[in-house]
Amino acid sequence: MEDFGGVSEWINGDENAKTMLARVLVNRQSCVALTRQIPPLMRVPLRAGNVVEIVGPSSSAKSELLIQAAVNCILPKEWKGVSYGGSEGVVMVFDLDCRFDVMRLGHCLRYRIDGTCGPGTHNNMYTRKEIRSNDKQGSQASLLTPIYQEDELFVSCMERLLYIRCYNSFEFLAALKTIRPQLQKAIEKHSNGVHLLVIDRKSLSLQVVSETVVQELRHLLQINPMLVLATKPTIYSTGPSENLVGREGRKWSKSCLEASKHGNQVSEKNVHREYMPAVWQAFVTHRLLLGRSDDTSENENIKVPVYTSEWEMPSLQHSDRFIVQDGGISLIM
């Protein structure tokens, strides 16, 4: 059985080999197209089955990166003759701290739709006109219909977002064990696969990831190959001057250890402790480090924060600087 991105592909129920192969290839191509449009994800060729750990302190744009990836995924490639460049796939979001900003996602989605169609209704996302009609009993019934046809696209996109809120590790495990019927319904309804799985947490609420959780995630990826983006907050050291390799009882990031072994200077901003268990570390295929720069950039006469990114796994020895806007993420020189 062929392996894609470290995860073997399995046949779904009673589907034949031709259907399975078509499903897998479509998901792989969609994941590649999805990440090519999003700095800094576009630096690495990602595909279905990859697990990307996005590491950074608070206010380092981790959640913003997830939101922009989700918007790109749920937008269609083309709708009524207008090109949107999306994947038209289903996104599954596991919110492990109950802080994922769905309204922010909706705002960015509306901005992208209006920006593509021309002058839109940023402040009238839910504007409707009311039509009265009589039902069979003769009473008045309110029917809400869109004023703008772009509302139809907005609703269609949001229907491809599956949001699951988990208050603890046990709820996360329970959701993983019971999510498959819901995924199957979404796939059948939208005639497209699940392209993106997002795991968002802003605190250390999920330090202990049990082997059972990772096994469930692996099984989910076997049946529904997709790209996984998972955020992780950092624990920083007191300083990089000591010998990182010789410290007992502590785990350090791979880039810090490699730099120390070769006698290279380790940047204070990149020194962080690894606190996730080995079963999770083995599950992760890619790791992206995010940070917030002391600089600001002027955008439409408004100063916005500048963020930094660096791929630790694979190590690219290259860093990017970027800003976050409603319409997406932009690299800056």
Side-chain angles (χ1 to χ4, degrees):
M1 186 167 294
E2 190 171 358
D3 179 84
F4 294 104
V7 179
S8 298
E9 303 299 337
W10 295 82
I11 294 178
N12 242 342
D14 58 354
E15 70 177 344
N16 56 38
K18 181 179 179 180
T19 304
M20 184 275 288
L21 184 60
R23 171 174 58 84
V24 170
L25 292 178
V26 167
N27 277 14
R28 289 188 66 197
Q29 294 169 357
S30 298
C31 288
V32 171
L34 166 68
T35 56
R36 278 178 180 170
Q37 304 176 48
I38 307 174
L41 295 179
M42 49 70 170
R43 293 293 183 190
V44 175
L46 299 172
R47 58 184 181 180
N50 288 156
V51 180
V52 183
E53 189 176 63
I54 303 172
V55 186
S58 177
S59 302
S60 60
K62 297 191 299 295
S63 293
E64 285 287 346
L65 183 57
L66 299 184
I67 287 173
Q68 296 299 337
V71 169
N72 270 31
C73 187
I74 60 179
L75 274 170
K77 182 177 181 180
E78 183 178 310
W79 188 76
K80 294 187 177 181
V82 179
S83 176
Y84 291 89
S87 300
E88 202 166 345
V90 177
V91 176
M92 181 167 52
V93 178
F94 285 102
D95 185 2
L96 304 186
D97 283 297
C98 308
R99 300 184 194 176
F100 186 82
D101 196 343
V102 178
M103 292 300 295
R104 169 65 180 166
L105 186 150
H107 175 76
C108 292
L109 174 62
R110 170 60 69 182
Y111 192 94
R112 289 279 298 276
I113 292 173
D114 289 352
T116 303
C117 293
T121 56
H122 297 285
N123 298 322
N124 297 289
M125 187 180 302
Y126 303 107
T127 301
R128 298 289 187 272
K129 63 181 178 180
E130 190 174 29
I131 301 176
R132 295 286 180 178
S133 65
N134 293 323
D135 60 16
K136 293 182 180 179
Q137 286 73 33
S139 60
Q140 295 291 319
S142 268
L143 300 178
L144 299 180
T145 59
I147 289 179
Y148 305 100
Q149 68 174 4
E150 287 79 10
D151 286 348
E152 180 185 346
L153 175 57
F154 179 85
V155 172
S156 175
C157 290
M158 291 300 290
E159 286 179 345
R160 288 191 284 272
L161 175 69
L162 302 181
Y163 175 77
I164 304 99
R165 177 176 292 177
C166 303
Y167 290 90
N168 53 53
S169 301
F170 297 105
E171 290 190 3
F172 183 32
L173 178 57
L176 288 174
K177 286 182 172 293
T178 59
I179 195 64
R180 294 186 192 100
Q182 188 176 355
L183 288 181
Q184 189 59 37
K185 288 181 180 179
I187 293 171
E188 293 173 356
K189 178 178 180 180
H190 300 289
S191 302
N192 212 339
V194 182
H195 297 165
L196 185 63
L197 188 157
V198 168
I199 303 174
D200 189 34
R201 57 198 176 103
K202 296 181 175 65
S203 68
L204 306 183
S205 60
L206 200 72
Q207 280 195 42
V208 180
V209 177
S210 69
E211 186 174 352
T212 306
V213 168
V214 174
Q215 287 176 349
E216 287 296 325
L217 284 169
R218 288 186 185 277
H219 187 55
L220 187 62
L221 293 183
Q222 287 173 348
I223 298 176
N224 298 279
M226 64 191 102
L227 175 65
V228 179
L229 302 180
T231 61
K232 183 180 77 175
T234 51
I235 296 180
Y236 286 109
S237 74
T238 56
S241 58
E242 302 176 41
N243 185 353
L244 300 179
V245 181
R247 293 180 182 175
E248 297 182 358
R250 296 187 182 184
K251 297 179 181 179
W252 300 92
S253 68
K254 183 178 179 181
S255 61
C256 297
L257 293 175
E258 290 298 321
S260 180
K261 287 178 182 177
H262 293 88
N264 298 331
Q265 184 177 1
V266 182
S267 169
E268 179 77 28
K269 293 183 178 181
N270 291 332
V271 178
H272 61 275
R273 291 184 57 182
E274 178 57 77
Y275 56 88
M276 298 295 284
V279 65
W280 173 262
Q281 294 181 51
F283 181 54
V284 171
T285 62
H286 297 71
R287 183 172 292 112
L288 175 65
L289 307 181
L290 297 185
R292 180 164 176 170
S293 171
D294 295 330
D295 301 331
T296 58
S297 177
E298 190 167 302
N299 178 50
E300 296 180 355
N301 297 323
I302 300 176
K303 289 187 176 181
V304 295
V306 175
Y307 303 97
T308 61
S309 65
E310 181 180 348
W311 282 96
E312 178 184 270
M313 189 168 68
S315 178
L316 298 185
Q317 302 299 321
H318 174 82
S319 60
D320 285 311
R321 286 156 49 88
F322 63 92
I323 60 174
V324 177
Q325 304 166 284
D326 291 339
I329 295 175
S330 303
L331 293 177
I332 63 174
M333 302 301 294

